Amino acid sequence: MSARTAAAPDSAETVAALAALPDQLESIVADVFAAMVDGEPGRLAPWPSDEPLWWRSPPLVGSVDLRGPAWSCSVRIVASRGTVRALARALLRLDLTARVADDDAADALGELLNIVAGNVKAVLPQCDTLGLPGVRRRAPVPGGPCLARLRVSWRGRPLVVTVRRSVPRRGSTEPTVQADREKESPR
Amino acid sequence: MRAPHALVIDDSRTMRRIVAGTLRELGFESYEAEHGRAALDLLESGVEVDLACIDWNMPVLDGLGFVAAVRAQPRWRSITMMMVTTESEQSQIVRALAAGAHEYLIKPFTPDAVRDKLQLLGLVPLGGVA
């Protein structure tokens, strides 16, 4: 039996914002990478395949909650450990062969996620509190209903950014994600 | 001549290194703190800084709390405070400025954006380093 409660319908403002979110997410991620990671625009491209990405080993999954009085969501970035190390080198303007400790790689992914999520928050009405990012190594679980997904190639490496809605459990004020078997698809 | 000193406050090591690296290019020497409480501890220990670059969302004491605490102390009134944060809504910018921050830089930013803000604040001369 579902433990979900019936949620109030979204406001017209929220409906419009959610409709625009996929394009907004693409623009936000492009801006973040251009300013902070690459120092120039145009280094991201759509990932060319719909094949599963993480079958070889569990990726790093960064996740942060956006909470509001009416509804909540989570923003997630998923990438391989090698990709996250490369991201850390790019963020810190390090040499391509520089060693990056696991902690530093996780911190870099968390900060990248924090910047993306903060800018997502700015385009979502009534979603006004940004949590602190967490990074774990695990197989990505589907989570709640997908509001926007970006599957991109950064310097030839796959990277997935998603925004998923959270649904409050009955008798709980904490949002949680609902099971969803939605198939991942490229943008 | 003494180089200007900055205090970079962010719970992300990565972001502290990015901001401190950018400031170094502009002639600053930087201290780093992982949250507002650690930053206040540094100031209370006698560290003197000209500029504080402050993230908003941090554990223990957030950036807004740090700004309010600094503004409550007359001995620290010469510190220029710049929020460096993803909180980009107009209401948040107004809150930070009302609490006593002097400038506001939204992440993501470029090194040029940091230089431009510090020039506006008079901490970096036009076309040069501090």
Side-chain angles (χ1 to χ4, degrees), chain A residues 85-161:
Chain A
R85 284 205 175 94
L87 280 169
R89 289 187 197 99
L91 273 165
L92 295 168
R93 306 292 187 258
L94 298 176
D95 187 83
L96 290 176
T97 58
R99 283 199 62 188
V100 177
D102 285 349
D103 280 359
D104 288 336
D107 185 81
L109 179 61
E111 183 56 22
L112 198 63
L113 174 67
N114 179 55
I115 299 171
V116 170
N119 284 272
V120 168
K121 178 169 82 73
V123 301
L124 293 178
Q126 294 190 313
C127 211
D128 51 12
T129 303
L130 175 64
L132 295 174
V135 176
R136 290 185 171 81
R137 189 175 188 198
R138 65 182 183 196
V141 293
C146 187
L147 301 172
R149 173 184 288 115
L150 202 55
R151 201 177 196 203
V152 294
S153 168
W154 173 69
R155 302 183 184 180
R157 300 167 177 268
L159 192 131
V160 180
V161 186

Side-chain angles (χ1 to χ4, degrees), chain B residues 40-51:
Chain B
L40 289 175
D41 290 345
L42 271 175
L43 294 178
E44 283 165 358
S45 75
V47 163
E48 294 183 4
V49 299
D50 307 282
L51 168 72

Side-chain angles (χ1 to χ4, degrees), chain A residues 51-77:
Chain A
E51 296 298 311
L53 295 171
W54 320 117
W55 55 273
R56 208 182 281 270
S57 65
L60 287 175
V61 180
S63 182
V64 65
D65 291 331
L66 298 177
R67 293 182 292 273
W71 64 286
S72 301
C73 64
S74 65
V75 182
R76 186 191 292 179
I77 298 180

Side-chain angles (χ1 to χ4, degrees), chain A residues 31-32 35-36 91-92 94 103-104 107-108 111 114-115 118-119 121-122 127-128 130-132, chain B residues 10-15 17-18 55 57-59 86-89 92 106-111:
Chain A
D31 287 348
V32 170
M36 307 282 318
L91 273 165
L92 295 168
L94 298 176
D103 280 359
D104 288 336
D107 185 81
E111 183 56 22
N114 179 55
I115 299 171
N119 284 272
K121 178 169 82 73
C127 211
D128 51 12
L130 175 64
L132 295 174
Chain B
D10 199 302
D11 56 331
S12 164
R13 278 192 308 281
T14 302
M15 186 50 66
R17 288 169 67 179
I18 291 170
D55 186 24
N57 295 299
M58 295 180 286
T86 63
E87 296 283 348
S88 56
E89 296 94 324
Q92 299 293 70
I106 296 169
K107 301 174 186 174
F109 58 81
T110 62

Side-chain angles (χ1 to χ4, degrees), chain A residues 10-25 28 71 120-127 147-148 163 165:
Chain A
D10 290 330
S11 67
E13 185 186 18
T14 298
V15 169
L18 294 181
L21 184 59
D23 287 341
Q24 296 269 22
L25 181 65
I28 287 167
W71 64 286
V120 168
K121 178 169 82 73
V123 301
L124 293 178
Q126 294 190 313
C127 211
L147 301 172
V163 182
R165 190 160 189 159

